């Protein structure tokens, strides 16, 4: 379990470093000319609160879908086979554990900031 969480966290860190590196001006102009994106504006930045709420809503949806699929399997519905139930259950567990890990990191960061000397 910790291996998968560490893998996800390393992927997130990798994406953060890629996003923080600016593209050279020549590459941006060339890609805009090729893709026809010269007049397209970048997507508006979302707030941290919106991003966090969206992530929590996705985790909630995954857990509800997993529960509904498990209930359908228990009722004996033909579309709900055991493999789908187990995969959905594992996906919702992984999403929840990742959410808990993010929460733990946020709490630790908050505590570190609060314990900084002035």
């Amino acid at each position: 379990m910790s291996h998968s969480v560490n893998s996800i966290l390393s992927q997130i860190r990798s994406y953060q470093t890629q996003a923080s590196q600016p593209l050279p001006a020549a590459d941006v102009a060339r890609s805009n000319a090729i893709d026809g994106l010269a007049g397209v504006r970048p997507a508006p930045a979302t707030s941290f609160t919106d991003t966090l709420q969206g992530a929590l809503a996705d985790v909630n949806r995954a857990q509800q879908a997993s529960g509904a699929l498990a209930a359908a399997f228990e009722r004996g519905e033909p579309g709900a086979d055991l493999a789908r139930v187990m995969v959905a259950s594992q996906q919702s567990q992984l999403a929840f554990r990742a959410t808990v890990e993010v929460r733990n990191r946020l709490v630790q960061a908050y505590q570190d900031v609060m314990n900084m000397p002035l």
Side-chain angles (χ1 to χ4, degrees), residues 12-60:
I12 291 171
R13 288 184 187 116
S14 170
Y15 292 140
Q16 285 176 336
T17 58
Q18 289 175 1
S20 65
Q21 296 174 353
L23 293 175
D27 290 341
V28 173
R30 190 175 335 120
S31 67
N32 286 346
I34 291 171
D35 297 334
L37 299 175
V40 176
R41 294 187 183 112
T46 58
S47 69
F48 178 75
T49 304
D50 294 338
T51 304
L52 189 61
Q53 286 176 345
L56 291 175
D58 290 343
V59 171
N60 186 34

